[in-house]
């Protein structure tokens, strides 16, 4: 096959969910419901944190940004999936594909860093409670948010620019329901060694370091909690970490699930389903985890609903 430069490539073709009209209606309703639940749930958390002065703390400040990131990640993926379900064509323009890659990478990486920052916040709160307000001051919180966002954007733009240098063959079918950088690189006819090195390097650094930081933080947290003399203090300390640990497990568990499924199976549909769990289901579940297991958040949401009902 003759390679074509990216300037000649007008579109890619995404995987079709189903040819059956009845199943297409079911899938459309399912994805639309998931998107609305994700946006509404995370938006409520953001509004609750903003409106309740009791939640103006570093932990909830980071949580509100995590919820905002989940809204953005879902908006990057699901609307295009909904359009393709209803359309006859499963195509996405070259520019649209690169844009989706950049935004998706930005928000996935930002969520990754936010989980690390939240783990550090819990570490300081439990292991250094007397210095908590001094260490986790508003200036540091803003700096951590901006630094993590800057690194995420820089890495996403680098991957996007590296894809632009590739030439593509006539086979432009992506075996997923959305554009993903690894799958797009696999379609290239030109040398992709630098792109693959960059992907593994970024995954090792920007994926491995946050995960190691989270594990290290919780080792210190557990060690500190076990030294507490009071059972009630131990329970209170563990309860403040429960929601974050659940979100971390869901985020990294689904991420490893995507990696393992792509390594052990050749079925593109199974890989696509695993990827959907990672990018669609996780953002939808996070609001439930934080609202159902957190008394302060439930109280803030009740106050928010009370204010909304008076409007």
């Amino acid at each position: 096959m003759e390679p074509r430069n990216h300037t000649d490539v007008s579109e890619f073709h995404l995987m079709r969910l189903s040819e059956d009209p009845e199943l297409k209606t079911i899938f459309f309703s399912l994805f639309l419901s998931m998107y609305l639940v994700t946006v509404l749930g995370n938006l409520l958390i953001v509004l609750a944190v903003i409106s309740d002065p009791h939640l103006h703390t570093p932990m909830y400040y980071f949580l509100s940004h995590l919820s905002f990131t989940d809204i953005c990640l879902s908006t990057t993926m699901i609307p295009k999936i909904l359009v393709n379900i209803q359309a006859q064509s499963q195509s996405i323009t070259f520019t649209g594909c690169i844009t989706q890659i950049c935004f998706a990478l930005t928000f996935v990486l930002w969520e990754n860093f936010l989980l690390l920052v939240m783990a550090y916040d819990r570490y300081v709160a439990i292991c250094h409670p007397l210095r908590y307000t001094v260490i986790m001051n508003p200036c540091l919180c803003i700096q951590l948010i901006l630094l993590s966002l800057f690194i995420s954007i820089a890495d996403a733009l680098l991957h996007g620019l590296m894809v632009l240098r590739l030439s593509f063959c006539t086979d432009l079918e992506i075996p997923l329901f959305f554009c993903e950088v690894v799958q797009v690189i696999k379609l290239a006819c030109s040398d992709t060694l630098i792109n693959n090195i960059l992907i593994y390097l970024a995954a090792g650094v920007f994926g491995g370091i946050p995960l190691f930081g989270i594990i290290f933080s919780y080792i210190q947290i557990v060690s500190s909690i076990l030294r507490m003399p009071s059972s009630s203090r131990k329970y209170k300390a563990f309860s403040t970490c429960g929601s974050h640990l659940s979100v971390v497990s869901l985020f990294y568990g689904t991420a490893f699930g995507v990696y393992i499924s792509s390594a052990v199976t050749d079925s593109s549909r199974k890989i696509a389903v695993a990827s959907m769990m990672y990018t669609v289901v996780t953002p939808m579940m996070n609001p439930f985890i934080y609202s159902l297991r957190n008394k302060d958040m439930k109280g803030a949401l009740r106050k928010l609903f009370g204010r909304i009902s008076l409007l």
Side-chain angles (χ1 to χ4, degrees):
M1 289 183 293
E2 290 294 325
R4 294 187 293 171
N5 189 269
H6 68 83
T7 54
D8 299 322
V9 175
S10 60
E11 61 184 22
F12 292 99
H13 299 283
L14 301 172
M15 178 181 287
R16 187 182 296 274
L17 275 166
S18 175
E19 298 284 354
D20 189 334
E22 292 184 2
L23 284 178
K24 287 172 70 172
T25 303
I26 294 173
F27 281 131
F28 183 85
S29 301
L30 176 63
F31 278 102
L32 180 60
S33 301
M34 292 170 69
Y35 180 61
L36 293 176
V37 169
T38 300
V39 172
L40 181 61
N42 284 289
L43 184 61
L44 284 173
I45 286 183
V46 173
L47 293 176
V49 172
I50 293 173
S51 63
D52 193 333
H54 294 97
L55 300 185
H56 292 176
T57 63
M59 181 176 74
Y60 293 107
Y61 175 73
F62 297 136
L63 174 59
S64 65
H65 282 81
L66 183 71
S67 295
F68 173 74
T69 305
D70 285 334
I71 293 173
C72 294
L73 180 59
S74 296
T75 303
T76 301
M77 302 290 186
I78 300 183
K80 180 58 180 174
I81 294 174
L82 293 174
V83 170
N84 280 3
I85 291 174
Q86 293 294 86
Q88 294 296 324
S89 173
Q90 302 301 302
S91 63
I92 182 171
T93 64
F94 182 85
T95 303
C97 187
I98 300 300
T99 303
Q100 191 177 63
I101 286 173
C102 289
F103 276 106
L105 282 174
T106 297
F107 296 127
V108 168
L109 280 173
W110 198 16
E111 182 157 348
N112 186 38
F113 285 120
L114 285 173
L115 292 175
L116 170 62
V117 170
M118 294 171 77
Y120 176 69
D121 172 72
R122 292 299 83 205
Y123 160 75
V124 176
I126 293 173
C127 299
H128 304 283
L130 298 179
R131 300 176 57 200
Y132 178 73
T133 55
V134 176
I135 297 175
M136 299 303 296
N137 58 77
C139 183
L140 177 64
C141 293
I142 294 172
Q143 288 175 347
L144 289 173
I145 291 291
L146 293 178
L147 178 62
S148 60
L149 178 59
F150 173 77
I151 295 173
S152 302
I153 293 174
D155 181 70
L157 288 176
L158 180 59
H159 282 294
L161 291 173
M162 292 300 292
V163 171
L164 289 176
R165 58 179 283 276
L166 299 176
S167 298
F168 295 90
C169 300
T170 54
D171 182 12
L172 300 174
E173 294 186 5
I174 299 173
L176 293 176
F177 306 124
F178 55 89
C179 282
E180 198 265 338
V181 63
V182 174
Q183 298 299 329
V184 171
I185 289 173
K186 288 181 179 179
L187 300 178
C189 291
S190 55
D191 183 24
T192 60
L193 177 62
I194 297 176
N195 295 76
N196 289 323
I197 291 174
L198 181 62
I199 286 173
Y200 285 115
L201 182 63
V205 174
F206 299 136
I209 291 179
L211 179 58
F212 174 80
I214 292 170
I215 293 172
F216 177 79
S217 296
Y218 273 102
I219 290 174
Q220 298 299 313
I221 288 170
V222 171
S223 176
S224 179
I225 290 175
L226 293 177
R227 291 197 298 268
M228 293 179 180
S230 171
S231 298
S232 59
R233 286 184 61 192
K234 288 181 180 180
Y235 175 78
K236 184 178 179 180
F238 272 122
S239 64
T240 61
C241 301
S243 298
H244 180 257
L245 269 176
S246 300
V247 172
V248 167
S249 301
L250 185 62
F251 181 83
Y252 286 104
T254 51
F256 284 124
V258 173
Y259 175 78
I260 293 171
S261 64
S262 61
V264 302
T265 181
D266 294 327
S267 173
S268 57
R269 189 160 290 274
K270 289 182 179 180
I271 297 172
V273 171
S275 299
M276 292 303 298
M277 288 288 295
Y278 177 58
T279 56
V280 176
V281 177
T282 300
M284 182 182 69
M285 294 301 298
N286 287 351
F288 292 101
I289 293 173
Y290 273 101
S291 60
L292 294 176
R293 302 190 60 174
N294 190 302
K295 292 181 180 179
D296 293 334
M297 182 56 66
K298 284 192 283 189
L301 288 172
R302 278 194 293 268
K303 291 179 184 177
L304 180 62
F305 287 135
R307 292 174 183 175
I308 293 174
S309 63
L310 293 175
L311 296 177

